[in-house]
Structure formats: C-alpha cells, structure tokens
Amino acid sequence: MKQAIIYCRLACEDQETDERLSRQKGECLQYARKHDYQVVEVISEIASGIDPNRKGLQKLLEICAKNEIEAILVQHVDRLSRDLNHTKSLLQTLAKTNTKLVTVTTIFWDTVEPTIK
C-alpha cells in the first residue's frame, strides 16, 4: 500500500473552520481509500497560502525530504500554495524526492515530472 500524508489548510479561522477542514480531510480520505493509499498523517493548519514558511507546510516538506511517503493528498492545489512561483518551487522540491502531489477534487499534473517552466 502506498503511503501518503493529507495536507489541509484554511486561510483564516471562522465559525465554519472545523467543518471546512473536516470536509477537506474527508475528501482526501475518500480518495485515499479508493486509490489504495495508507494515510500516515494528516496535517491541518490555518495560515495564509501566500506564506511559504507555514509550520504545517515545513513539517510536510521535512517528511518528504526523508523519503517517508509517496504522495501528498490535497483537496486542491491552492491548499498547498496560493503563489504560482512558490507552487513551482514546491513541485520541483517534491520531484527531487519522488513525492507525488495528488489533488483529489481537480485534475492536476504529475509532479514526478513537473511541466511548469
């Protein structure tokens, strides 16, 4: 079974924070079950998608650097980053560790061979 981490993020806290994070997590868990991923950890945080130094994101990258997982499951690519240049940098970093970025609600590209130039 392939090992994966689920990453969930919201930009700010509000009355529906728990529900919105739970929805992201639920969609990722459903995808994981359907596609034979074992979820080893769920990282959730409330932080701006423009901030590249988010604690949860840094933890995720540290785990990827150790080659402990095969994939990161996110609801949508903007949960990982809202900045295109940062997204490109993240995809390049993930490619170096052979970690796939899987967007569970939208079609994205294979991050083992990123195509953003």
Side-chain angles (χ1 to χ4, degrees):
M1 189 172 268
K2 304 170 281 192
Q3 295 199 341
I5 289 181
I6 291 174
Y7 179 79
C8 306
R9 182 192 62 77
L10 292 177
C12 59
E13 197 165 358
D14 62 24
Q15 292 178 334
E16 298 175 359
T17 295
D18 291 340
E19 178 184 324
R20 292 167 54 211
L21 284 172
S22 181
R23 184 172 45 246
Q24 285 183 41
K25 178 182 173 183
E27 289 176 0
C28 290
L29 285 170
Q30 182 178 10
Y31 183 95
R33 283 189 295 271
K34 185 176 179 181
H35 295 277
D36 201 32
Y37 283 102
Q38 176 186 7
V39 176
V40 296
E41 187 166 351
V42 176
I43 298 173
S44 296
E45 67 182 336
I46 300 169
S48 170
I50 296 173
D51 180 5
N53 299 311
R54 300 185 307 269
K55 288 181 183 180
L57 179 61
Q58 293 309 310
K59 179 179 180 180
L60 179 68
L61 293 174
E62 288 170 12
I63 294 168
C64 291
K66 296 176 187 175
N67 292 312
E68 295 179 355
I69 61 168
E70 294 177 54
I72 299 167
L73 307 181
V74 295
Q75 181 189 45
H76 188 275
V77 70
D78 69 1
R79 299 301 85 204
L80 202 58
S81 180
R82 286 277 194 176
D83 178 272
L84 186 57
N85 288 324
H86 184 235
T87 300
K88 177 182 175 182
S89 174
L90 288 171
L91 292 175
Q92 291 168 338
T93 298
L94 295 177
K96 290 176 186 174
T97 63
N98 291 317
T99 305
K100 285 189 173 190
L101 174 63
V102 179
T103 57
V104 303
T105 60
T106 56
I107 297 173
F108 199 52
W109 57 86
D110 185 340
T111 57
V112 174
E113 294 291 332
T115 57
I116 296 179
K117 305 273 183 201

